[in-house]
Amino acid sequence: MRTKKAYRTTCWAEVLAAKLRAPDSEKIALKVEFFPPDRRSRDDDNLVSSFKHGRDGIALALRIDDKRFRTVPTFHDEVVPGGEIIVTLEPL
């Protein structure tokens, strides 16, 4: 439980530090790019579900309901040491 809360808090802080604002549209494309930390095989559905608390932190920082998000995942084969997730918000 602590890890989930810490992840949500980290994502919340990153959004605030970047001074992001929610697009004015009713629905928002939450484009999420996943870069693995190693070559192990991963299920795409598990990657998306593992981002749930990060998504919640983003919505909290933007002061919006996360039901406005439409997640658009992209899965990269390129390995990034430690792994990386890049999030982009766009109006729909």
Side-chain angles (χ1 to χ4, degrees):
M1 185 64 152
R2 283 176 160 172
T3 304
K4 294 174 185 177
K5 186 174 181 179
Y7 184 48
R8 185 182 70 206
T9 301
T10 298
C11 290
W12 170 83
E14 289 291 328
V15 169
L16 292 181
K19 298 181 180 176
L20 294 180
R21 296 180 58 110
D24 289 334
S25 62
E26 176 64 27
K27 301 296 180 194
I28 301 167
L30 182 74
K31 295 184 175 186
V32 186
E33 295 182 68
F34 295 94
F35 292 86
D38 54 43
R39 293 266 176 227
R40 286 186 296 155
S41 179
R42 290 171 172 78
D43 292 338
D44 60 355
D45 60 334
N46 289 337
L47 287 172
V48 172
S49 66
S50 71
F51 185 65
K52 192 234 183 297
H53 294 282
R55 173 185 161 122
D56 290 345
I58 292 168
L60 185 63
L62 295 173
R63 296 182 177 175
I64 63 170
D65 190 325
D66 71 340
K67 72 180 179 184
R68 290 179 57 193
F69 291 144
R70 295 298 175 261
T71 303
V72 182
T74 303
F75 308 99
H76 296 276
D77 293 327
E78 176 188 343
V79 172
V80 174
E84 185 172 80
I85 297 174
I86 298 173
V87 177
T88 307
L89 302 173
E90 294 182 5
L92 279 177

